[in-house]
Amino acid sequence: MEKRAFVTGLTGQDGAYLARLLVDKGYEVTGLVARRATDSMERLRRLDLMDRVKMVEGDLMDTSSLIRALKNSGAREVYNLAAQSFVATSWEQPILTGEVTGLGVVRLLEAIRIVDPAIRFYQASTSELYGLIQEPVQSETTPFYPRSPYGVAKLYGHWITINYRESFDIHASTGILFNHESPLRGEEFVTRKITLALANIKHGKQDTLYLGNLDSKRDWGYAGDYVQGMWLMLQQEKPDDYVLATGETHTIREFVEVAAEVAGFDIAWEGEGEQTRGVDRKSGKPIVQVDPQFYRPAEVDVLIGDPSKARKQLGWEPEIKFADLAEMMMKADLDWVAGGN
Ligand code: NAP
Ligand code: GDP
């Protein structure tokens, strides 16, 4: 097969890591880039990709831009990573989230039908589909119960992908990916918010890290491992649906503790609920504080995935787990802030 790929969401966390993986494998990568007033190329620069990928302007809201971009790319593989991806924002902008994260998927599938139905397709599905979990450990067969407009929009994207596979015989796969993080994670997501704030506090640029619910639990892996799974799905003879996860779950509190230790703090928790504070035992300063503005209208309390199907069928294994991930992100942000960012 010709090694040409089309990636939406190129400028996002996963887009950057996937583009690097594909370029290293000898692919010609064309990335869809939405027009923005501010610069969104930071991740591509950090991975030294600016001259190694082609960029084409377009938007998941605009089907004609997708058809044109896909046709010109000559791609044999399409990875749909673009989305309004932040759960909290999905309550503020539920309709935009539905348009981009939900209907955007069928716009791209329609572009494939028009340009060439033999193009292979990857849809970025999510563990947020499980929401109010129906089984203690979630696998491909666990029923969905999304808990946010984001989760509901992704549910549409998930099923429309399966529907196009069954209706039009498109080689379309979904990856039900549990949370995956990295030094390039968006700064609004809790892991990166924590490591960036702790680095700023360490360097005297910030006093306090404000967080919402400290007790929810997530199955956090490393984005660099997860993009490998995306690629493997499109190399299979048959399209399918796969969970990518580490099989471990940890609280936000634990992530704070591990990252803080790497940064040289020693956190002791005081108080309860909205009064909870994290005090650095070494300096006696309260550096973490709960702020209810970060609570969500409906919470996903706990997620833990079973990646055994991906392990068996794809040979996929996550290399980096919780403590190493927190350490990697914390060290990267200490360097990032020390470098003047
Ligand atoms: P991300 O960093 O938020 O990146 C999202 C990308 O989508 C950005 O490049 C963004 O461009 C682009 N985008 C947003 N609206 C668009 C539009 N209307 N048209 C075209 N592009 C648009 O997300 P990520 O963490 O890399 O995640 C990648 C995908 O996996 C997303 O679909 C996400 O929902 C899904 N997912 C992520 C996780 C996770 O833990 N990271 C887990 C499961 C599923 P701008 O930056 O210019 O807006
Ligand atoms: P999500 O799993 O896609 O919603 O990823 P996030 O990183 O945004 O949130 C993970 C969990 O962290 C959720 O249960 C949030 O309620 C919780 N959380 C607690 N405080 C914060 C915060 O200040 N920001 C974010 N983004 N999440 C927080």
Side-chain angles (χ1 to χ4, degrees), residues 71-72 160 164 222 289 337:
K71 208 170 176 177
N72 291 340
I160 200 68
Y164 270 50
Y222 171 51
Q289 175 77 56
V337 172

Side-chain angles (χ1 to χ4, degrees), residues 63-328:
T63 313
S64 61
S65 73
L66 301 176
I67 297 169
R68 215 173 6 255
L70 183 57
K71 208 170 176 177
N72 291 340
S73 73
R76 310 310 302 154
E77 297 175 12
V78 171
Y79 297 85
N80 183 34
L81 309 183
Q84 189 305 95
S85 71
F86 188 40
V87 169
T89 293
S90 77
W91 278 285
E92 303 304 322
Q93 301 184 42
I95 297 162
L96 177 84
T97 303
E99 284 283 359
V100 176
T101 306
L103 284 176
V105 185
V106 77
R107 293 193 188 98
L108 193 51
L109 285 164
E110 278 297 290
I112 288 177
R113 267 181 82 198
I114 291 165
V115 173
D116 180 0
I119 294 170
R120 296 185 172 196
F121 180 74
Y122 171 83
Q123 168 58 16
S125 287
T126 167
S127 54
E128 288 291 314
L129 296 177
Y130 300 117
L132 189 64
I133 54 166
Q134 303 295 297
E135 286 178 340
V137 179
Q138 301 87 54
S139 73
E140 294 81 3
T141 55
T142 303
F144 298 132
Y145 194 136
R147 289 271 277 173
S148 63
Y150 168 78
V152 175
K154 281 284 184 185
L155 188 69
Y156 175 84
H158 184 78
W159 281 111
I160 200 68
T161 302
I162 293 171
N163 180 261
Y164 270 50
R165 175 164 86 212
E166 294 174 355
S167 304
F168 305 116
D169 208 20
I170 291 177
H171 191 294
S173 292
T174 68
I176 307 171
L177 270 51
F178 283 63
N179 296 49
H180 45 281
E181 322 291 309
S182 73
L184 303 186
R185 182 61 145 150
E187 293 173 14
E188 64 276 38
F189 293 90
V190 76
T191 53
R192 185 76 201 291
K193 182 175 168 180
I194 292 167
T195 57
L196 198 54
L198 290 175
N200 278 323
I201 293 168
K202 191 77 194 170
H203 288 280
K205 294 184 172 183
Q206 185 176 335
D207 294 325
T208 314
L209 159 62
Y210 292 98
L211 293 171
N213 179 9
L214 297 173
D215 298 317
S216 57
K217 293 173 136 186
R218 290 291 182 275
D219 180 330
W220 282 296
Y222 171 51
D225 288 341
Y226 286 46
V227 297
Q228 173 80 18
M230 297 175 187
W231 176 78
L232 284 168
M233 287 177 215
L234 293 208
Q235 312 316 307
Q236 304 306 302
E237 196 186 326
K238 287 199 174 131
D240 207 338
D241 310 303
Y242 298 92
V243 161
L244 299 187
T246 68
E248 282 183 22
T249 194
H250 298 273
T251 60
I252 313 302
R253 227 179 254 268
E254 284 176 82
F255 192 94
V256 172
E257 288 163 10
V258 175
E261 199 183 325
V262 174
F265 300 113
D266 182 9
I267 298 284
W269 298 103
E270 293 180 354
E272 276 178 31
E274 293 180 16
Q275 308 306 322
T276 308
R277 298 187 318 164
V279 178
D280 175 29
R281 285 194 185 94
K282 294 182 181 170
S283 65
K285 286 186 185 162
I287 57 172
V288 187
Q289 175 77 56
V290 164
D291 182 341
Q293 74 160 303
F294 298 111
Y295 290 165
R296 294 178 173 180
E299 181 61 282
V300 173
D301 293 320
V302 54
L303 292 171
I304 175 164
D306 171 6
S308 41
K309 178 176 172 184
R311 189 180 300 128
K312 216 162 112 199
Q313 293 189 22
L314 304 176
W316 180 83
E317 196 79 53
E319 305 256 318
I320 294 178
K321 300 246 177 128
F322 177 73
D324 291 338
L325 176 69
E327 183 178 343
M328 174 209 287

Side-chain angles (χ1 to χ4, degrees), residues 52-69:
R52 304 173 75 202
V53 294
K54 290 185 178 177
M55 292 182 220
V56 50
E57 203 176 294
D59 200 296
L60 279 194
M61 299 287 285
D62 184 333
T63 313
S64 61
S65 73
L66 301 176
I67 297 169
R68 215 173 6 255

